[in-house]
């Protein structure tokens, strides 16, 4: 006996009380909530630890370089896992791979929850990195199992969870840091992951698989190596030095590996990434725009909480607690959640343009308005609202342009571009804030000019995303697209 719900085929007979047409059925709503919760739990893990890293360092007797690997290990494993699980989802089942990634979230978080030394903590966070593929897998799953009239709204909600998780993670982490032990954060992730698994098993059907071929192991190794060579120096360049031979050598290796990867993929019948399909303007421009919006989102995270926590003597800070700094991000997270459905009511291309321009307006506000805390929150909220609309638009563009047999892989690649954008924001933002400083009580702190420079770059990145979206073809559906127009 199966309990899964066939959402695309779900109909109602007259007199049953179940609404059809453009109305959502109860089964559809429940499934979106279940998958959305899974995506939210995974996205939370990317922001939860930022406010408590110093506490973890003290507890585990770790130095600055060592504790950085708690975040870097997740980033590096996720960069390999996202495209790999996307292709595995196309070949062996998106729902099945989603369950595997949620299991990784539970296992990795459990390891971290009981960790008593830095090595075990890093291993646990590396396992959590496998779960980063859950969000693009969730987007692909929603896009296929929902009927076409509801798929855009479902996709918008799931995609917005990327930003919502980050915005909610900071205040939650600040709350735990102030009133409880940081291990509670890991137990929250364990509980959330465990609770979503029965819902997926019982309520979500496995879509029919249309992809053929086998897993491209050579392409996976090449792309994984290229991402490691790119993201590792971006994450560690601040401590290594940007002119260090390791930094330069790894960045050069990333370029070489990407060139080899493309050459190999063009020759394979069953590639990890169909380079010819990915090079289509609809997909290529969407992915590059995703990089720019991902840059802006991460800069919102690093440029808000630390900003309001800075001492008032800096001329811009408000001397607030970690919890207050996190709470300043909360309105932006709520705006992402509430406004992401707006993207479903617009054409994806239009939504990407509108969302990106709103992001630029938010950062413009941050540059000009600095005198009051509410002004900082206003700017961050505007940027968050635009991010929610823009993020929700991207999978809509992909699902109209990518072949059904490559949908999960295409969403995984798009998610990878967002991660690269976030890594660039961390590297560039960190470098700017480290070089443009003021001296206060013998300590170097980021200056207001440094933050304004970062915000200006973010605004420019958002405008660039909007300009790229102008060139995305209006009619992009392929004959075998997952969601024809």
């Amino acid at each position: 006996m199966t309990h899964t719900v066939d959402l695309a085929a779900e109909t109602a007979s007259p007199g049953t009380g179940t609404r059809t047409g453009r109305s959502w059925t109860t089964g559809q709503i429940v499934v979106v909530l279940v998958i959305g919760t899974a995506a939210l739990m995974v996205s939370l893990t990317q922001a939860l630890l930022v406010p408590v890293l110093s506490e973890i360092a003290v507890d585990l007797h770790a130095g600055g370089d060592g504790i950085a690997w708690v975040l870097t290990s997740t980033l590096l494993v996720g960069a390999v896992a996202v495209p790999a699980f996307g292709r595995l989802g196309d070949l062996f089942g998106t729902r099945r791979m989603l369950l595997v990634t949620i299991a990784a979230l539970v296992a990795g978080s459990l390891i971290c929850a009981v960790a008593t030394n830095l090595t075990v903590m890093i291993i646990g966070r590396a396992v959590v990195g496998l779960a980063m593929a859950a969000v693009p897998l969730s987007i692909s799953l929603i896009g296929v199992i929902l009927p076409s009239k509801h798929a855009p709204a479902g996709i918008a909600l799931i995609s917005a969870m990327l930003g919502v998780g980050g915005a909610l993670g900071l205040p939650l982490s600040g709350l735990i840091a102030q009133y409880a032990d940081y291990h509670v954060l890991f137990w929250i992730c364990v509980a959330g992951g465990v609770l979503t698994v029965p819902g997926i098993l019982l309520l979500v059907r496995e879509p029919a698989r249309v992809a053929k071929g086998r897993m491209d192991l050579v392409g996976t190794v090449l792309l994984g190596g290229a991402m490691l060579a790119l993201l590792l120096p971006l994450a560690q360049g601040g401590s290594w030095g940007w002119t260090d031979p390791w930094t330069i050598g790894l960045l050069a290796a990333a370029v070489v590996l990407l060139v080899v990867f493309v050459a190999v993929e063009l020759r394979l019948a069953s590639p990890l990434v169909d380079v010819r399909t990915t090079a289509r303007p609809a997909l290529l421009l969407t992915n590059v725009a995703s990089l720019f919006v991902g840059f802006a989102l991460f800069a919102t995270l690093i440029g808000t909480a630390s900003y309001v926590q800075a001492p008032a003597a800096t001329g811009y800070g408000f001397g607030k607690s970690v919890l207050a700094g996190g709470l300043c991000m909360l309105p932006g997270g709520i705006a992402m959640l509430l406004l992401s459905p707006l993207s479903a009511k617009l054409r994806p291309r239009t939504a990407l343009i509108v969302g990106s321009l709103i992001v630029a307006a938010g950062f413009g506000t941050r540059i000009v308005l600095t005198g009051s805390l509410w002004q900082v929150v206003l700017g961050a909220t505007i940027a968050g609202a635009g991010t929610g609309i823009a993020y929700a638009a991207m999978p809509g563009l992909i699902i109209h342009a990518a072949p059904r047999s490559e949908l999960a892989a295409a969403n995984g690649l798009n998610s990878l571009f967002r991660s690269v954008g976030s890594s660039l924001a961390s590297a560039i933002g960190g470098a700017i804030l480290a070089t443009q400083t003021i001296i206060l009580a013998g300590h170097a702190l980021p200056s207001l000019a440094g933050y304004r420079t970062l915000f200006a770059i973010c605004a420019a990145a958002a405008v660039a995303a909007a300009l790229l979206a102008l060139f995305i073809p209006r009619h992009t559906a392929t004959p075998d697209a997952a969601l024809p127009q």
Side-chain angles (χ1 to χ4, degrees), residues 46-47 49-51 53 71 163 166-167 170 234 242 293-310 316 325-326 328-329 336 363 366 376 380 383 421-434 445-447 450-455 457-458:
Q46 301 181 55
L49 296 189
V50 175
L53 281 179
L71 297 179
L170 290 179
L234 291 181
W242 294 107
V293 178
F295 184 103
L297 173 64
F298 193 81
T300 303
L301 299 178
I302 65 174
T304 300
S306 60
Y307 185 101
V308 302
Q309 291 171 42
Y316 62 85
C328 288
M329 296 296 301
M336 289 182 200
F363 281 108
R366 292 294 306 275
V376 175
S422 297
S423 298
L424 286 171
S426 178
I428 295 174
I432 291 172
L433 298 180
L445 296 174
S447 65
Y451 276 109
R452 281 174 165 164
T453 300
L454 175 60
F455 297 151
I457 293 174
C458 291

Side-chain angles (χ1 to χ4, degrees), residues 16-106:
T16 62
T18 304
R19 297 160 64 185
T20 57
R22 298 194 63 84
S23 300
W24 287 74
T25 66
T26 302
Q28 292 165 357
I29 294 172
V30 170
V31 167
V32 170
L33 289 176
V34 168
I35 297 178
T37 301
L40 176 62
M41 295 309 304
V42 171
S43 63
L44 273 174
T45 65
Q46 301 181 55
L48 277 178
L49 296 189
V50 175
V52 297
L53 281 179
S54 59
E55 184 180 347
I56 295 175
V58 172
D59 184 50
L60 301 182
H61 310 289
D65 290 342
I67 204 65
W69 280 98
V70 173
L71 297 179
T72 302
S73 60
T74 307
L75 172 70
L76 297 180
V77 174
V80 179
V82 165
F85 272 98
R87 183 56 178 161
L88 288 169
D90 287 328
L91 291 173
F92 302 108
T94 310
R95 172 180 172 268
R96 180 177 298 169
M97 291 301 111
L98 176 59
L99 287 168
V100 172
T101 59
I102 298 301
L105 170 67
V106 173

Side-chain angles (χ1 to χ4, degrees), residues 319-408:
K320 298 298 182 181
S321 65
V322 173
L323 175 57
L327 287 173
C328 288
M329 296 296 301
L330 188 58
I334 295 172
M336 289 182 200
L337 187 62
L338 295 179
L339 292 180
S340 61
L342 175 63
S343 181
K345 297 181 179 180
L346 302 172
R347 286 186 175 273
R349 176 176 173 272
T350 302
L352 179 54
I353 295 171
V354 171
S356 298
L357 292 178
I358 293 175
V359 171
F363 281 108
T365 302
R366 292 294 306 275
I367 294 172
V368 177
L369 302 178
T370 62
S372 301
L373 184 61
W374 71 265
Q375 293 174 333
V376 175
V377 175
L378 174 64
T381 302
I382 293 173
T387 303
I389 296 172
Y391 262 19
M394 294 167 193
L397 288 165
I398 289 171
I399 202 170
H400 283 100
R404 169 70 181 85
S405 59
E406 301 172 18
L407 180 58

Side-chain angles (χ1 to χ4, degrees), residues 174-446:
L175 182 65
I176 297 300
Q178 189 162 331
Y179 295 107
D181 183 84
Y182 71 86
H183 289 92
V184 173
L185 296 171
F186 299 116
W187 288 113
I188 290 173
C189 294
V190 170
V194 168
L195 290 175
T196 60
V197 170
I200 296 173
L201 285 172
L202 297 175
L203 298 174
V204 182
R205 67 181 176 88
E206 181 71 79
R209 297 193 293 276
V210 297
K212 298 179 180 179
R214 57 185 180 181
M215 187 62 185
D216 173 17
L217 297 180
V218 174
T220 301
V221 171
L222 287 172
L223 182 59
M227 289 300 100
L228 291 175
L230 173 63
L231 297 178
L232 183 57
L234 291 181
Q236 299 293 327
S239 58
W240 292 353
W242 294 107
T243 58
D244 185 87
W246 275 104
T247 303
I248 297 172
L250 283 171
L251 291 175
V255 174
V256 173
L257 287 170
L258 284 173
V259 171
V260 174
F261 170 75
V262 170
V264 170
E265 297 299 278
L266 286 171
R267 295 174 177 271
L268 296 180
S270 180
L272 176 70
V273 176
D274 190 327
V275 176
R276 294 181 179 85
T277 299
T278 304
R280 294 172 183 169
L283 292 176
L284 180 61
L285 293 175
T286 298
N287 285 332
V288 178
S290 297
L291 186 149
F292 286 123
V293 178
F295 184 103
L297 173 64
F298 193 81
T300 303
L301 299 178
I302 65 174
T304 300
S306 60
Y307 185 101
V308 302
Q309 291 171 42
T314 59
Y316 62 85
F318 300 93
K320 298 298 182 181
S321 65
V322 173
L323 175 57
L327 287 173
C328 288
M329 296 296 301
L330 188 58
I334 295 172
M336 289 182 200
L337 187 62
L338 295 179
L339 292 180
S340 61
L342 175 63
S343 181
K345 297 181 179 180
L346 302 172
R347 286 186 175 273
R349 176 176 173 272
T350 302
L352 179 54
I353 295 171
V354 171
S356 298
L357 292 178
I358 293 175
V359 171
F363 281 108
T365 302
R366 292 294 306 275
I367 294 172
V368 177
L369 302 178
T370 62
S372 301
L373 184 61
W374 71 265
Q375 293 174 333
V376 175
V377 175
L378 174 64
T381 302
I382 293 173
T387 303
I389 296 172
Y391 262 19
M394 294 167 193
L397 288 165
I398 289 171
I399 202 170
H400 283 100
R404 169 70 181 85
S405 59
E406 301 172 18
L407 180 58
N411 275 311
L413 188 63
N414 181 253
S415 181
L416 184 60
F417 270 82
R418 300 189 207 189
S419 296
V420 172
S422 297
S423 298
L424 286 171
S426 178
I428 295 174
I432 291 172
L433 298 180
T435 55
Q436 298 190 31
T437 61
I438 58 174
I439 303 300
L440 187 64
H443 298 282
L445 296 174

